[in-house]
Amino acid sequence: MSSNSYASKPPAPTMEIYSGSVFAGKEAVDGTYVSVFNADWQGAPISKTPGLVENGRWSVVVDYPPTDGDHVYAEARAVVDGEPGPWSASSPKYTVGNSPFLPTPVMPNITLYSTAYFSGNEGTPDTSIVVKNASKDDAPVAKDSVDVSNGIWQLYADTPAAVGDEIYAVATQLAGPDSYGGTTSKSQSYTVTDPAVPVPPTIQSSRTSTIFGTSLPKTSVTMTVQEPNGWTRTSPPIAVSDRKWSVDIGAQLPLGTTISATASYSSGAPSDPYIVQVGARSSPPVWVEAVGTNSVSGRGSVDGQKILGWRLSDGKKIVDYPLSPRQDHFLAYYQDGQTLSKGDLLYLVSTSPNPVNMSPYNIKPEGYLGP
């Protein structure tokens, strides 16, 4: 991606941890991104993904481990509307060795906070999440904590919260054998609600007599089938269990049949449809480069491909971007001036124009910046 001349250059970061699987430190400007480079490898980055700065701290997971004695340094840059700005000055060089301290995790975010299902993101690797109910004497809503995976966490409640309860998340940095113990970071408080509309469900199989896919917890799925001869039928609501749904339709559907599925909560309106056509070639997933507050950028691979995206917090479609012929790179601003808040997730698919056939989801948090 080209450098964005409108983004200001942040000050140089500092590094506190420079050994093991996680490098971490401080940076003065929240919302910027920090990468670590190995001076003894001609300045090659040690991580595929830069670290987001939150509460003045950053961390990166090492993908290309340096050896003890190598010299590493860090640089920061801002991202404006999905486009990266110029790099900061370099930090001092640090000699890779044994570092005893663990970073304090960045403040976790809660994206979805219904009564029995909670999800969000956390920028510090090797952390676990506990959700607590401030309206119930800070009691945990689940017996066990959940680990953060690729910056995202999901938790199912053993003791569901009530609508209107105040809940918060606590991120704990797991202690290593040579560390001074785990450290924690607490999120802001959130008021429990049941979202009115979920993101669309997925359809993972359409070529057998059993159609199945995934959907958010506490939803039900309605499936509509339209065969090439025009015969159309719609299923009654299908229960979702452990985020999965399925229905046996008795016989394999003919090629060219269009299947659409919508999801809804018990008292809400249906989501937008997820659509596949039996026998059609799957549309390739979206390659995402950056997700910002106002836009998303990435690459497509098929002429006429359309990029669609939904906001997890309310199920609203905020990306509807058609690629022109021979266009691969895209920068899509969210529809109607919509924004993606910090902590929210963007569910992206690509779809072929004719027939309509949606790809699997590529799910990314606001603030994501790819390698």
Side-chain angles (χ1 to χ4, degrees):
M1 280 186 298
S2 60
S3 177
N4 185 342
S5 60
Y6 295 101
S8 60
K9 181 185 292 188
T14 59
M15 205 179 310
E16 295 176 332
I17 298 177
Y18 36 98
S19 66
S21 62
V22 178
F23 282 38
K26 295 181 179 179
E27 162 60 42
V29 181
D30 281 355
T32 55
Y33 293 84
V34 174
S35 290
V36 178
F37 305 91
N38 190 333
D40 294 313
W41 291 354
Q42 298 181 334
I46 67 170
S47 175
K48 298 177 182 177
T49 306
L52 174 65
V53 179
E54 292 186 302
N55 298 325
R57 292 188 170 271
W58 60 268
S59 64
V60 298
V61 178
V62 177
D63 296 303
Y64 311 107
T67 57
D68 285 353
D70 283 353
H71 300 88
V72 295
Y73 61 94
E75 294 180 359
R77 63 179 175 181
V79 175
V80 176
D81 290 335
E83 294 291 329
W87 287 107
S88 71
S90 300
S91 73
K93 291 182 180 177
Y94 298 83
T95 302
V96 175
N98 294 322
S99 178
F101 294 98
L102 286 170
T104 299
V106 298
M107 186 175 72
N109 295 300
I110 305 180
T111 305
L112 190 61
Y113 32 97
S114 59
T115 56
Y117 173 70
F118 305 87
S119 66
N121 54 52
E122 163 60 42
T124 307
D126 300 322
T127 53
S128 63
I129 298 290
V130 173
V131 175
K132 296 187 176 184
N133 191 334
S135 301
K136 299 293 189 294
D137 298 322
D138 297 312
V141 300
K143 297 175 183 177
D144 300 315
S145 62
V146 294
D147 292 337
V148 176
S149 177
N150 297 319
I152 298 173
W153 59 269
Q154 302 174 75
L155 183 145
Y156 299 88
D158 297 307
T159 306
V163 172
D165 281 356
E166 295 291 319
I167 54 94
Y168 62 91
V170 177
T172 300
Q173 173 73 55
L174 306 179
D178 300 319
S179 74
Y180 287 109
T183 56
T184 61
S185 178
K186 177 181 174 181
S187 77
Q188 68 183 62
S189 294
Y190 299 80
T191 303
V192 172
T193 61
D194 271 326
V197 179
V199 296
T202 69
I203 301 172
Q204 296 178 320
S205 174
S206 61
R207 298 194 179 189
T208 68
S209 61
T210 299
I211 311 299
F212 62 84
T214 63
S215 188
L216 292 179
K218 296 185 67 180
T219 60
S220 60
V221 172
T222 300
M223 184 184 72
T224 298
V225 172
Q226 183 175 26
E227 297 191 10
N229 61 10
W231 185 36
T232 302
R233 58 193 187 277
T234 299
S235 72
I238 305 161
V240 172
S241 176
D242 194 24
R243 302 197 69 176
K244 299 175 183 177
W245 65 272
S246 65
V247 59
D248 187 348
I249 58 175
Q252 185 173 343
L253 293 168
L255 296 179
T257 298
T258 298
I259 306 173
S260 65
T262 60
S264 61
Y265 293 104
S266 58
S267 58
S271 69
D272 289 330
Y274 186 97
I275 303 172
V276 299
Q277 188 173 93
V278 178
R281 184 177 180 180
S282 296
S283 186
V286 184
W287 178 266
V288 181
E289 294 178 340
V291 177
T293 303
N294 302 295
S295 65
V296 57
S297 62
R299 295 186 181 277
S301 57
V302 177
D303 279 356
Q305 188 177 12
K306 180 181 281 191
I307 310 300
L308 306 176
W310 291 267
R311 195 165 50 195
L312 174 63
S313 57
D314 60 1
K316 186 175 182 62
K317 183 169 69 174
I318 61 173
V319 179
D320 192 334
Y321 186 90
L323 273 66
S324 59
R326 292 177 295 281
Q327 178 186 2
D328 55 356
H329 182 270
F330 69 88
L331 173 61
Y333 287 90
Y334 303 142
Q335 289 187 300
D336 303 322
Q338 296 287 324
T339 59
L340 189 68
S341 299
K342 181 178 180 180
D344 211 342
L345 299 177
L346 187 62
Y347 279 57
L348 291 156
V349 300
S350 66
T351 179
S352 52
N354 188 22
V356 173
N357 207 45
M358 292 184 176
S359 72
Y361 277 126
N362 190 343
I363 305 170
K364 292 291 185 285
E366 189 278 334
Y368 171 80
L369 181 63

